[in-house]
Amino acid sequence: MGSLRNPVGPLPSTIYWRRRAVAACLAALLALLAFWALASGDDGGKKPNDAANGASPTPPSITPGPSGSGTPISQQPGGRDESGDSEGATGGDGGSGGTGTDPGTADGGTGDGGSGSGGKNGDTDGAGGDGGAGTGAGQRVPADSPLPNCPSGALQLTLRSSKVSYETGEKPRFLLVAKNTSGTVCKADLGPRNAVLTISDSKDDEVWSSADCPRPGTPVLLRVPARTTITHTVEWDRGRSAPDCATAPAGRAGPGTYLLEATMPGVKVLPAPFSLAKD
């Protein structure tokens, strides 16, 4: 033990201590090398790093979202197809007779005013043109019909011309539209003596009146159902008239603007303008 602490030899003790230090360093170095060799051997048995070898890592799995439940779009953009509306508008233009613009026919008239007999002063009562509108049809009833007369407060009367302007030789047709606002059926006299039609020219001179020489002179009694509208048609042959069937001025009414008026006891009726075209 003394020799380990105090080296014995011909050389100074410092040299022996240095030799011991170098030997200890070499031993430590050999131990480190042995440990490194063992550690390298263990790593060699492991699977090499894929990333280090250039292999791309496995991409993460993507879970698809829920699929849409809506109906796929199969129509072209640009708005709604208008072809159906056009066909509907075309199909709705019906119900008219030969004239195409005659409201009396559209309202349910069964004939025209031409079936009436011509009067001495040029009036033609269109009794055959009586027709219904709304939910019922007007019917001619006899004078002894048990139906009550329509009260003046329950009857609404509208006057209009079937056309705004009439061509040369075309006979104007006028429409008396009667509406029964009551809840009971009644009869109304739309004949030329009770529902008087008058035509005046632009100078306010009377040209024709249904009361001057009415044909027929008997009442035109029409059945008007409750809350229903009927239409009575009168045709004018453009002739002039004079009171009490007197001789009327010669010639027909010429081109110009005219005013059609109607008077009926207890009923207010607005006038309707129309015109006769030039030749």
Side-chain angles (χ1 to χ4, degrees):
M1 293 294 295
S3 61
L4 292 177
R5 296 177 183 176
N6 297 312
V8 178
L11 297 177
S13 61
T14 57
I15 293 176
Y16 294 109
W17 282 114
R18 290 176 183 172
R19 289 178 178 175
R20 291 179 179 178
V22 172
C25 288
L26 290 176
L29 180 60
L30 290 175
L32 287 175
L33 290 176
F35 178 78
W36 177 80
L38 292 175
S40 299
D42 294 338
D43 291 340
K46 293 181 180 181
K47 185 178 181 180
N49 192 320
D50 291 338
N53 294 335
S56 59
T58 303
S61 61
I62 300 176
T63 303
S67 59
S69 59
T71 304
I73 298 174
S74 60
Q75 296 180 353
Q76 296 182 354
R80 181 171 57 89
D81 184 6
E82 297 293 338
S83 61
D85 294 340
S86 300
E87 292 174 359
T90 304
D93 186 14
S96 60
T99 59
T101 56
D102 179 14
T105 306
D107 286 338
T110 57
D112 58 26
S115 60
S117 58
K120 179 179 178 181
N121 293 321
D123 62 310
T124 304
D125 187 88
D130 301 337
T135 59
Q139 298 176 349
R140 187 82 174 262
V141 296
D144 59 353
S145 171
L147 289 176
N149 295 325
C150 294
S152 59
L155 195 65
Q156 294 180 355
L157 198 63
T158 304
L159 176 65
R160 66 174 184 263
S161 174
S162 63
K163 295 179 64 176
V164 176
S165 179
Y166 296 92
E167 301 297 330
T168 303
E170 186 179 8
K171 294 180 180 180
R173 302 181 72 190
F174 310 128
L175 307 175
L176 279 171
V177 183
K179 180 180 180 180
N180 180 10
T181 61
S182 70
T184 58
V185 61
C186 58
K187 64 178 184 291
D189 182 9
L190 299 184
R193 292 183 182 274
N194 193 57
V196 179
L197 298 184
T198 303
I199 298 175
S200 303
D201 58 17
S202 58
K203 298 178 181 179
D204 202 24
D205 294 332
E206 184 176 303
V207 176
W208 175 84
S209 174
S210 66
D212 284 346
C213 190
R215 294 290 183 90
T218 56
V220 179
L221 299 176
L222 299 177
R223 181 179 183 272
V224 190
R227 297 184 178 86
T228 301
T229 302
I230 65 168
T231 301
H232 176 63
T233 305
V234 176
E235 187 177 78
W236 178 45
D237 64 357
R238 301 195 184 206
R240 300 174 184 273
S241 68
D244 300 325
C245 293
T247 302
R252 303 281 181 174
T257 302
Y258 294 85
L259 186 67
L260 174 67
E261 298 176 277
T263 56
M264 188 172 178
V267 182
K268 182 179 180 180
V269 188
L270 296 177
F274 69 95
S275 64
L276 303 180
K278 296 181 179 181
D279 295 339

